[in-house]
Amino acid sequence: MGKTIAEKILSDKSGTDAKAGRIVVANIDYVMVNDVTGPIAFREYGKLGTAEMHKDRMVLIPDHYVPNKDIASAEQAKEMRDFAKKHGIENYYEVGKGGVCHQVMVEEGFAAPGRLIVGADSHTCTYGGINAFSTGIGSTEAAAAFATGKLWFKVPETIKVELTGSFGKDVGGKDLIIRIITDIGVDGANYKAFEFHGPGIANISVSDRLAVSNMAIEAGGKAGIFPFDDLTREYIKDTVRGAYTPVSADADAEYCRVLRYDLSEIESMVAFPHLPSNGRAVKDADVRIDQAYLGSCTNGRIEDMRIAAAIVKGRHVDPDVRFLVVPASQKVYRQMLDEGLMQIFLDAGAFISGPTCGACLGGYMGILAAGEKAVSSTNRNFIGRMGDKASEVYLAGPQVVAASAIAGRIVTPDLLEGC
Amino acid sequence: MVVIEAKAWRFGDNVDTDQIIPAERLLSTNLTHLNDFIFEKVRPDFADLIADGDMILADRNFGCGSSREHAPLSLIQAGVSCIIAESFARIFYRNSMNIGLLLIECKVEAEEGDTLSVDTDAGIVRNLTSGREFVFDKHPEFIGRLVESGGLVNMIKEGRF
Ligand code: SF4
């Protein structure tokens, strides 16, 4: 019997015959922590009482509460900085050099096809978009990985997602993944991996694939893995570190479930509060908004910024809306400058900040008051996720977020004619 | 063998980590008293009501959302002895087992305030209030060793990893 991509990568990294359901101990290529999960990991590492440390495989990226939002977060960020200095960890990304952790992991070339990457952040599954097996872990396990370079994994069963066709106008990866989560539920892929197949994949940009994989966790998924193709090769060619080996599934691999989507039938989607599985077609939504948020590890890439800029160009943000634009990294920020996108957003009346997780997790800089509603290109709309427990978050792709910022309510771009 | 007998607090489906402990509390200065903030947005009085040793009983997908270890840690600090749920989200499950919070995957019928007993060797949850019994699958061997060691750090120190 053949193997899925998840089974192949875990077999390779564990040196065992990793089949779904087994527990294996596997060597990891990289382990990432951020400023929230790092401090616990550093303390647990201390408890191990070992001198052994796999420094070259560790990546430390402050992003959640940096630039420091207050004294407590300043102390927290300092704990990470001090740890990096004390142990001479090179892969530390100071404010001004990095950005949102998952974006940095991809653009700095840590994430690559065939690699096994863990991160103390649930959206580590993002790198499946470029054919890696990557998954979120906790801080204690990150500490274990610092010390041993390995970790335990239950080999997941895999859901095969067959894709045909290509997206219609103003529809993209975010709409597809909200559709999938709405269909199978927030625990529909618990302890499972997604593997994407079919001719439709060639019609999905790598940026959109990363957005899809990013939200695998919102269905409970352990990973969401795309095959490697020319688009992947092109996307990573200038940034990837070291050699990599793409992995494809065997033709006779076993899947626990098969889902099929014709991309041309996917509509613009919005996930209503308070679960990512509350997806509805945007055309059926009638929601006035107070804030529109474009950014995060889901949709804060340059491609998302270009899509949104094309929509807001020459238009003005609704007077009752705050439009926050938060590029996912310094690199994206610079690219926006170089391409003239900053000008477009500023002219439209948007607020632009440097990269940070900030408001995405209700941290700071964009918090919602009671009763306020936001349309957001992020990945979670749980109760109180972006502020007060009586605020509401509606998840959508960059097209809908940009159009909604202009219209003042949740709409698709085609409704902006004349705006 | 572990037998726990305690009062149960009842929760429903999809209890996410933002409900267990909101992101704005995830600061290292709070790490010793995360229990002060548990469920503050959804059950604001909970931190005061829960007593040492109490259990949480939930339905599907408990712990979904973020990878924050602060979630199981806050529950340990609050004195939660065990969480029984029909299913757990993956990262929450790993985190809990890795830091020594006992999770039992079992569909149990009980009301808030019922007294439950958990027998991990027999794989049985008893509702002592209603007199009913519920059977669960015991942990796989590796997870059993992890629980026995009291978590991942100890397991590594003992050279069992
Ligand atoms: S951008 Fe949001 S979802 Fe992504 S890592 Fe930051 S807080 Fe988490």
Side-chain angles (χ1 to χ4, degrees), chain A residues 158-218:
Chain A
T158 296
I159 298 173
K160 183 179 194 177
V161 186
E162 279 274 351
L163 302 172
T164 55
S166 56
F167 290 126
K169 189 170 176 297
D170 297 327
V171 176
K174 184 66 158 282
D175 304 290
L176 171 64
I177 189 66
I178 293 177
R179 174 79 263 161
I180 293 174
I181 299 164
T182 300
D183 289 347
I184 68 172
V186 284
D187 61 351
N190 198 13
Y191 262 97
K192 298 185 173 69
F194 291 100
E195 202 176 270
F196 297 91
H197 285 257
I201 289 173
N203 304 324
I204 306 179
S205 70
V206 175
S207 173
D208 267 5
R209 296 178 194 176
L210 292 164
V212 170
S213 297
N214 175 273
M215 286 186 71
I217 177 70
E218 306 312 330

Side-chain angles (χ1 to χ4, degrees), chain A residues 250-273:
Chain A
D250 290 328
D252 57 347
E254 244 183 294
Y255 298 92
C256 60
R257 187 174 177 184
V258 181
L259 303 172
R260 290 190 176 85
Y261 292 93
D262 176 346
L263 300 179
S264 66
E265 286 173 6
I266 301 290
E267 296 182 277
S268 294
M269 296 291 290
V270 52
F272 274 52

Side-chain angles (χ1 to χ4, degrees), chain A residues 65 76 135 139-140 152 190, chain B residues 23 28 69 88 90 94 157:
Chain A
Y65 286 113
Q76 178 157 277
T135 194
S139 298
T140 297
W152 68 272
N190 198 13
Chain B
S28 45
E69 206 163 290
F88 291 95
R90 186 190 75 79
R94 292 181 68 102
K157 279 179 155 175

Side-chain angles (χ1 to χ4, degrees), chain B residues 34-142:
Chain B
L34 293 167
N35 53 314
D36 290 350
F37 315 114
I38 53 172
F39 296 111
E40 63 178 343
K41 286 192 180 175
V42 287
R43 291 181 85 164
D45 46 354
F46 193 76
D48 295 328
L49 294 176
I50 187 159
D52 203 31
D54 285 356
M55 290 184 200
I56 286 175
L57 175 64
D59 297 324
R60 281 170 50 167
N61 202 28
F62 189 93
C64 59
S66 130
S67 64
R68 62 189 70 154
E69 206 163 290
H70 311 66
L73 191 58
S74 66
L75 297 172
I76 290 176
Q77 289 174 353
V80 173
S81 59
C82 164
I83 305 176
I84 305 170
E86 203 178 323
S87 64
F88 291 95
R90 186 190 75 79
I91 305 177
F92 183 85
Y93 182 89
R94 292 181 68 102
N95 277 343
S96 299
M97 292 307 185
N98 282 330
I99 67 172
L101 173 62
L102 182 65
L103 305 185
I104 302 292
E105 223 165 13
C106 185
K107 188 170 161 59
V108 170
E109 286 167 31
E111 305 288 325
E112 176 142 310
D114 285 1
T115 302
L116 306 181
S117 97
V118 176
D119 182 333
T120 55
D121 271 12
I124 292 175
V125 176
R126 295 187 180 85
N127 183 337
L128 302 180
T129 307
S130 71
R132 298 186 57 190
E133 283 192 2
F134 307 87
V135 179
F136 62 88
D137 287 340
K138 284 182 263 174
H139 296 128
E141 196 209 324
F142 180 89

Side-chain angles (χ1 to χ4, degrees), chain A residues 63-64 100-102 121 123 296-297 357 360-361 379 385:
Chain A
D63 61 355
H64 278 51
V100 172
C101 57
H102 306 303
D121 189 283
H123 295 101
S296 86
C297 55
C357 288
C360 171
L361 79 158
N379 46 38
R385 170 73 177 180

Side-chain angles (χ1 to χ4, degrees), chain A residues 100 174 291-312 321-329 332 336 341 345 350-357 359-360 374-378 386 394 396-403 405:
Chain A
V100 172
K174 184 66 158 282
Q291 184 164 296
Y293 184 93
L294 177 67
S296 86
C297 55
T298 320
N299 288 116
R301 281 175 286 280
I302 188 64
E303 292 85 349
D304 302 303
M305 298 296 158
R306 286 178 192 141
I307 288 169
I311 293 165
V312 305
V321 172
R322 293 100 61 181
F323 183 24
L324 310 187
V325 176
V326 188
S329 70
V332 175
M336 288 172 72
L341 307 188
F345 286 117
F351 169 87
I352 308 172
S353 90
T356 177
C357 288
C360 171
V375 65
S376 179
S377 73
T378 54
M386 295 182 87
Y394 295 77
Q399 300 89 344
V400 169
V401 168

